[in-house]
Amino acid sequence: FQQRDAKFLYSATKAEHYRHLSEPEITFAGRSNVGKSSLIGAVLRSAGLVKTSKKPGHTSLLNFFSLTSSAHPAAISVVDMPGYGFRSRDEWGQFIIEYLSTRKVLRRVFLLIESKVGELKSTDCSFLELAEKHGVPVQLVLTKTDKLKRTSLDKISNAVVREAKEIGPTVVQPYVIHCSAKTKDGITAVQEEILRVCNV
Ligand code: GTP
Ligand code: MG
């Protein structure tokens, strides 16, 4: 990621506003306040580019970013999703269904769980059901690991994967990435995974 340049591309709410580029795309999803925008800022090495907030429901649109490098002509599209709580459950559902079902370039969803919460909530389960239905691969990520001890993290990871696998047996990846936007723990792991799934 060293020589890569991240830039903000555009925001969208409806599928008709998505741009149809051929670049591989990856998305960050999860409950409000789980740390999606902060993690993207750390991963892109451009914290200033991605707005974060203490107040849940801060990101209210799909925000598209692009990652390119002079050495590599292929760009990757990175999407910051609004948290589940940002609208009524029905509206949120429609929004996500539209995105997951129409986005052919989508290579992986990074589904963020706050490590201190330590379990899947009903909205995470609904999201996993949709991902399974539309065949979108999901990478589980435990966030804000700076708030927890390593030993509890391993225990939580195992429990979360087991539960997620029951809902999304074909799409959920068998391992969990731990990370902290604050200490930068695990950021490299997320970056490597993005490059790997996008084949660049
Ligand atoms: P919405 O856009 O509302 O869905 O939230 P989000 O998931 O994008 O969360 P955001 O990145 O805006 O972060 C929410 C809060 O958590 C902010 O106050 C961040 O500073 C804090 N936060 C994010 N990542 C970390 C982390 O790794 N460690 C700690 N301690 N705090 C974090
Ligand atoms: Mg956000």
Side-chain angles (χ1 to χ4, degrees):
F1 275 55
Q2 294 297 12
Q3 307 147 317
R4 285 170 184 271
D5 287 323
K7 50 174 200 285
F8 173 72
L9 286 180
Y10 65 102
S11 298
T13 47
K14 297 186 183 134
E16 63 218 59
H17 299 150
Y18 305 161
R19 287 188 203 160
H20 294 281
L21 305 171
S22 54
E23 298 158 2
E25 189 159 285
I26 57 123
T27 298
F28 288 75
R31 302 173 69 216
S32 282
N33 218 40
V34 71
K36 299 176 292 296
S37 301
S38 303
L39 181 57
I40 294 175
V43 163
L44 299 183
R45 293 174 178 274
S46 323
L49 198 63
V50 192
K51 295 198 192 83
T52 65
S53 167
K54 283 200 181 74
K55 230 174 70 211
H58 184 73
T59 309
S60 59
L61 304 161
L62 286 166
N63 291 322
F64 290 76
F65 298 88
S66 149
L67 198 57
T68 52
S69 91
S70 45
H72 235 294
I76 298 169
S77 180
V78 176
V79 184
D80 188 7
M81 279 201 154
Y84 306 150
F86 91 111
R87 285 179 184 179
S88 72
R89 185 92 179 233
D90 279 358
E91 252 189 302
W92 173 81
Q94 273 316 310
F95 185 89
I96 302 295
I97 290 167
E98 201 171 48
Y99 179 77
L100 293 182
S101 63
T102 60
R103 216 53 189 155
K104 299 268 182 289
V105 288
L106 184 56
R107 294 287 176 86
R108 189 139 306 182
V109 174
F110 288 81
L111 178 58
L112 277 48
I113 313 286
E114 193 169 332
S115 48
K116 237 174 115 180
V117 172
E119 60 178 11
L120 299 178
K121 296 288 184 186
S122 67
T123 40
D124 297 312
C125 298
S126 311
F127 188 91
L128 283 167
E129 279 167 20
L130 289 172
E132 178 71 22
K133 185 174 170 201
H134 296 289
V136 178
V138 175
Q139 172 64 54
L140 295 167
V141 179
L142 286 181
T143 62
K144 308 191 191 180
T145 55
D146 53 282
K147 293 185 173 182
L148 228 70
K149 283 208 215 85
R150 184 103 245 161
T151 43
S152 8
L153 276 175
D154 291 335
K155 212 187 275 170
I156 291 169
S157 302
N158 293 338
V160 166
V161 171
R162 206 177 315 122
E163 203 185 341
K165 274 264 178 209
E166 276 171 28
I167 307 169
T170 65
V171 295
V172 173
Q173 304 304 300
Y175 53 93
V176 177
I177 297 177
H178 298 166
C179 64
S180 163
K182 196 171 168 188
T183 63
K184 307 288 183 274
D185 169 46
I187 299 303
T188 314
V190 177
Q191 292 170 333
E192 284 170 0
E193 189 61 11
I194 291 174
L195 295 179
R196 197 179 68 77
V197 301
C198 295
N199 298 321
V200 295

